[in-house]
Amino acid sequence: MKDLKPVIGLEIHLQLNTQSKLFCNCPTQPGRLAWVKELLEKKGLEFEYLEHGLCLTCFDSARERNLSPEQIVKALVFASDGKPIIFLLPGDRRLDLKKAKEFLKSENLRPATPEEVLEFTGCIVGAVPPTIDGIKKIIDEKLLKNEKVSFNAGNHYSGIIISAREFLKSLDSFEKVDISSEEKLKEKFTENKSEKAPAIEDLPNSRTCPTCLGMPGSKPVLNEKAVEMGLKVALGLNCKINEEFYFSRKTYFYPDLAKNFQISQYEIPLGVGGELLLKNGKKIRIRRAHLEEDPAALVHEGGLHESNYCLIDYNRSGIPLLEIVTEPDLETPQEAREFLDALLNLLNYLEVFELGKNVLKVDTNVSIQGFERVEVKNVTGFKAVEDALKFEIERQKELIAEGKRQARETRGFEEASGKTKSLRIKETEEDYGYIFEPDLTKIAISKEKIAEIKQQLPELPEQKAKRLMKDFKLSEYDARVLASDFEIGKLFDQASKKIEARLAARFLTRELLAVLNYDRLSLKDSGISAEKIIQLLELLQEKKITEKAAKEALIKMAREKISPLEFLQKAGLTEKAGEEEIERACEQVIAQNPKAAQDFKKGEEKAFNFLLGQVVRRFKGKAEPRFVQKILERKLKK
Ligand SMILES: [Zn+2]
């Protein structure tokens, strides 16, 4: 029997990280726009950013962020003579209006109306962050008694955790006064929860308009930002860009696209004929990259099979998707996974996609060479793609072994059972009845515009790997590993300014990746800041700790969220005391072994190694031998 060789192609649909939809101005996210986070980053402050479930009270926020209510900064917007004032109080205190009026010498101080809050701050009531520039801010003294505080990042779903000192730095101006009530507020569980409805933009079908609801007569207007992002990806994949491209209507008779068609690209897409390299250097050809709109979300309350009805949330309808289609160049499920990793890395470099916030779905085409092809649709998650392919290849091989024919069909993947199931006999492209979209006639992009976008592309993984090899003389392996993870590559760039590059590369590619891979964490999710890793590398470089201790510290930093210095203290090796302790140990060992010390003075190498061993043993691997060696030599030569 001839060799049964799998042939795999992928179709990836990824949501582009735009602020508005593809053909209308509706926002793509419920106020999760991270402008507060970006503002703090721009100011160069150190803080933690956290996304979480809906929080409507300070008590909710405290729970979600694992803090106490007095640490939550309550930003109350007031008006006095038509001018806004923001009061910043601990979450468990009320504003003492009498004190506030006295301080401001204002009789007509009053809470701003919801409309005024929006006008003054651009935020909805309850989601105002303290960091609004250009407004008078008054901070209650009690708030600053906390070492750490936390506030809303401009919406009900995310927060900033920051030290009180950095917090003050985040404000363009402030005055510090005692303006809060003496008694503490208690959480009222009956506190009109139903009255405090979520902000309008958080509700289903709120981020919609006639266009994305498919109303007759509404017309699509192309979002240029989405086109630019799509172009960046296409260029990053080395695609040829079509200077003229078209949109088409694809027949789609399901309620999640109210128009009964999906606007997509068919005849002439954004880009064609690209490639992406796998880790081992294998080239995977890209057939095309095109833009299309995301359908709405179907909501089956209680589960697909249990629910008697289906709800539709059009908030998702019209979010820009980029579809990337590969040639069937992939040969194993493992390669498919590596391709997705490489693609995600490229997207991170290009900053057009944020995992967790934007969704990426994969359709796979898989066949055994010479036999009919099967499409497995809508697989979410890279591991699921690998599992679905593994199952499907085995299934097809068995069919062939039994002498049965594989029909051309579309299958679905059930993650729980790890099996694929037939959904329908596959449509051919003709079944979709594509026609040109008459409301979006020919889109033309000038050569200059393409050149401009190309020029603005950041350094991409391939280029980065080459630069690291050239500038730092790193091995190709280290350079490629560093470039294949955007976050770790960035960390290396920062570290190499202070740390010997090869030491940093070795530690990051081996120890750090081992710890992250073991816990299946990304650097971002691990919560270890770049600063702390660099601190650790400095200790290692100065030989204040051994590699073994550094690795141990790293594990503790990831799991127990401690800093390198805390680790040293716990291990009984404070940064400075480390040296003193070693000195003391050297003196003791010399005193206890006078003969060996004398032998050394006579020039016996062995005696020195014996003494060194004695000292090093006392520190159970926590002291760097070369550092001990230096101190011991110094002591012996005295
Ligand atoms: Zn819309």
Side-chain angles (χ1 to χ4, degrees):
M1 201 155 130
K2 67 175 181 184
D3 203 17
L4 297 178
K5 207 174 137 217
V7 181
I8 303 166
L10 301 177
E11 289 176 25
I12 297 113
H13 304 250
L14 59 101
Q15 285 181 341
L16 293 170
N17 193 14
T18 54
Q19 307 222 330
S20 38
K21 293 184 179 178
L22 187 53
F23 300 121
C24 60
N25 251 330
C26 297
T28 53
Q29 298 281 325
R32 272 187 206 224
L33 312 180
W35 62 274
V36 174
K37 181 176 165 241
E38 281 161 20
L39 183 92
L40 298 184
E41 276 166 355
K42 240 180 240 162
K43 293 190 178 180
L45 301 173
E46 197 187 328
F47 62 91
E48 206 184 313
Y49 172 75
L50 209 70
E51 291 196 351
H52 47 60
L54 176 70
C55 287
L56 295 172
T57 68
C58 292
F59 294 97
D60 289 341
S61 303
R63 256 192 308 276
E64 285 281 356
R65 300 175 202 157
N66 227 344
L67 297 168
S68 59
E70 70 231 35
Q71 290 177 285
I72 305 297
V73 183
K74 187 152 73 176
L76 299 175
V77 185
F78 272 63
S80 169
D81 297 324
K83 280 201 192 121
I85 296 165
I86 299 180
F87 292 103
L88 303 172
L89 309 170
D92 61 350
R93 303 273 174 168
R94 189 175 281 126
L95 178 75
D96 187 325
L97 197 57
K98 200 168 151 252
K99 287 186 199 166
K101 280 183 175 171
E102 270 171 26
F103 174 71
L104 288 166
K105 300 187 181 64
S106 162
E107 261 317 300
N108 56 21
L109 184 69
R110 59 167 176 84
T113 63
E115 292 74 22
E116 284 173 326
V117 172
L118 192 63
E119 187 196 323
F120 292 149
T121 67
C123 297
I124 46 176
V125 176
V128 177
T131 47
I132 309 276
D133 286 351
I135 298 184
K136 189 182 183 79
K137 283 170 282 283
I138 298 172
I139 303 183
D140 183 53
E141 285 167 346
K142 292 187 196 84
L143 183 63
L144 299 175
K145 289 191 180 135
N146 295 297
E147 200 182 311
K148 261 187 193 172
V149 296
S150 173
F151 51 85
N152 284 327
N155 56 62
H156 293 294
Y157 291 96
S158 60
I160 304 286
I161 302 174
I162 191 166
S163 73
R165 224 181 51 197
E166 294 282 284
F167 169 57
L168 292 181
K169 279 199 246 165
S170 75
L171 307 173
D172 62 339
S173 70
F174 64 87
E175 287 170 79
K176 209 169 75 179
V177 205
D178 168 26
I179 33 144
S180 65
S181 61
E182 285 313 313
E183 86 280 14
K184 283 189 180 181
L185 292 169
K186 286 215 181 74
E187 181 167 25
K188 294 181 211 147
F189 283 99
T190 51
E191 202 189 61
N192 317 325
K193 278 239 164 160
S194 55
E195 247 178 67
K196 277 198 173 179
I200 202 79
E201 56 178 21
D202 301 333
L203 297 171
N205 293 307
S206 58
R207 283 172 276 127
T208 54
C209 71
T211 302
C212 53
L213 288 172
M215 301 284 189
S218 64
K219 284 197 193 316
V221 177
L222 185 59
N223 173 353
E224 280 182 29
K225 196 83 198 154
V227 176
E228 260 178 44
M229 282 194 186
L231 277 173
K232 277 189 186 174
V233 181
L235 285 167
L237 289 167
N238 274 315
C239 285
K240 177 184 164 293
I241 304 300
N242 286 314
E243 285 165 45
E244 283 175 5
F245 56 83
Y246 295 83
F247 282 92
S248 289
R249 295 180 173 185
K250 176 182 180 178
T251 305
Y252 187 99
F253 197 70
Y254 298 101
D256 51 351
L257 267 173
K259 298 190 292 285
N260 287 342
F261 57 82
Q262 179 188 32
I263 304 181
S264 179
Q265 292 191 287
Y266 182 53
E267 290 83 355
I268 303 181
L270 200 62
V272 292
E275 64 186 38
L276 185 64
L277 295 188
L278 299 186
K279 258 199 310 216
N280 61 8
K282 178 173 170 179
K283 227 177 241 179
I284 305 301
R285 289 169 299 155
I286 306 293
R287 185 179 298 167
R288 54 189 275 141
H290 74 244
L291 288 164
E292 62 184 31
E293 55 182 336
D294 207 351
L298 296 177
V299 185
H300 302 270
E301 301 229 308
L304 183 60
H305 302 291
E306 285 71 28
S307 184
N308 292 321
Y309 57 88
C310 173
L311 299 170
I312 307 175
D313 181 359
Y314 284 96
N315 280 348
R316 202 179 74 191
S317 175
I319 290 182
L321 293 182
L322 186 73
E323 179 172 334
I324 297 166
V325 184
T326 74
E327 295 291 349
D329 289 348
L330 298 156
E331 289 167 288
T332 63
Q334 173 65 25
E335 273 190 4
R337 173 129 188 212
E338 279 176 23
F339 176 86
L340 292 172
D341 285 335
L343 177 66
L344 182 66
N345 187 41
L346 176 72
L347 297 173
N348 285 336
Y349 272 74
L350 293 167
E351 294 180 342
V352 296
F353 179 86
E354 218 177 279
L355 199 65
K357 176 173 154 192
N358 306 120
V359 177
L360 186 150
K361 281 185 189 156
V362 183
D363 295 350
T364 67
N365 285 304
V366 49
S367 63
I368 302 298
Q369 202 166 40
F371 294 89
E372 227 16 295
R373 180 158 58 105
V374 166
E375 186 178 23
V376 184
K377 268 196 122 33
N378 270 335
V379 193
T380 340
F382 293 2
K383 180 158 184 308
V385 170
E386 200 179 345
D387 291 345
L389 284 170
K390 271 184 199 159
F391 175 83
E392 194 49 33
I393 289 166
E394 283 315 307
R395 192 188 66 84
Q396 292 184 19
K397 279 184 177 171
E398 273 170 36
L399 271 183
I400 293 167
E402 288 166 18
K404 289 181 188 155
R405 277 186 69 88
Q406 166 64 53
R408 188 179 164 95
E409 63 174 346
T410 299
R411 299 177 73 90
F413 178 61
E414 283 181 346
E415 253 187 276
S417 65
K419 291 179 178 169
T420 65
K421 267 191 174 166
S422 183
L423 292 176
R424 54 181 179 265
I425 298 305
K426 169 82 176 133
E427 308 87 345
T428 58
E429 289 297 331
E430 293 83 67
D431 296 337
Y432 289 124
Y434 285 97
I435 55 165
F436 281 115
E437 166 59 61
D439 290 327
L440 290 166
T441 47
K442 188 176 83 182
I443 314 290
I445 316 179
S446 64
K447 276 198 175 68
E448 291 75 34
K449 181 75 190 169
I450 297 172
E452 189 192 311
I453 293 176
K454 205 168 185 170
Q455 184 128 65
Q456 287 167 358
L457 287 185
E459 180 186 52
L460 297 179
E462 272 301 297
Q463 299 158 329
K464 179 159 194 162
K466 284 187 185 138
R467 173 172 66 83
L468 297 186
M469 281 189 266
K470 186 167 164 278
D471 290 2
F472 298 109
K473 308 269 176 288
L474 297 188
S475 70
E476 181 170 349
Y477 174 84
D478 281 355
R480 286 201 182 281
V481 172
L482 288 171
S484 70
D485 186 308
F486 178 63
E487 292 291 324
I488 291 180
K490 212 163 71 176
L491 171 60
F492 174 79
D493 283 337
Q494 281 170 278
S496 62
K497 289 183 188 137
K498 285 187 177 172
I499 310 291
E500 202 267 307
R502 287 209 274 198
L503 172 77
R506 196 177 65 229
F507 193 75
L508 298 183
T509 56
R510 289 166 184 67
E511 312 307 347
L512 178 62
L513 275 177
V515 170
L516 295 180
N517 288 345
Y518 187 82
D519 287 341
R520 292 177 186 280
L521 286 173
S522 68
L523 181 60
K524 215 166 142 195
D525 298 333
S526 77
I528 314 180
S529 68
E531 213 178 38
K532 283 183 185 158
I533 292 180
I534 294 172
Q535 237 177 46
L536 184 64
L537 283 168
E538 278 177 318
L539 292 172
L540 186 63
Q541 174 162 276
E542 291 158 15
K543 305 210 186 318
K544 291 197 171 134
I545 52 172
T546 58
E547 276 202 39
K548 187 169 161 247
K551 192 176 175 180
E552 228 172 90
L554 200 58
I555 294 171
K556 292 239 155 72
M557 282 157 71
R559 299 204 187 132
E560 295 167 26
K561 311 278 172 237
I562 65 169
S563 75
L565 293 178
E566 279 166 344
F567 169 79
L568 283 187
Q569 273 157 13
K570 276 191 187 170
L573 283 169
T574 50
E575 198 184 350
K576 203 155 183 306
E579 189 166 343
E580 285 167 18
E581 260 175 274
I582 293 170
E583 278 183 3
R584 222 174 308 133
C586 287
E587 284 163 12
Q588 282 167 4
V589 167
I590 293 170
Q592 285 160 12
N593 300 281
K595 185 168 179 308
Q598 284 212 328
D599 289 347
F600 169 75
K601 282 178 188 158
K602 283 183 215 149
E604 261 186 57
E605 195 70 15
K606 260 197 237 153
F608 182 77
N609 289 341
F610 167 77
L611 292 170
L612 181 62
Q614 294 292 314
V615 181
V616 168
R617 205 163 304 146
R618 290 185 177 211
F619 291 95
K620 298 194 177 80
K622 298 258 163 58
E624 163 64 50
R626 273 166 293 183
F627 187 51
V628 177
Q629 188 175 341
K630 256 199 257 167
I631 296 175
L632 184 63
E633 266 172 3
R634 204 168 64 214
K635 291 276 165 202
L636 281 167
K637 280 176 186 159
K638 254 191 197 163

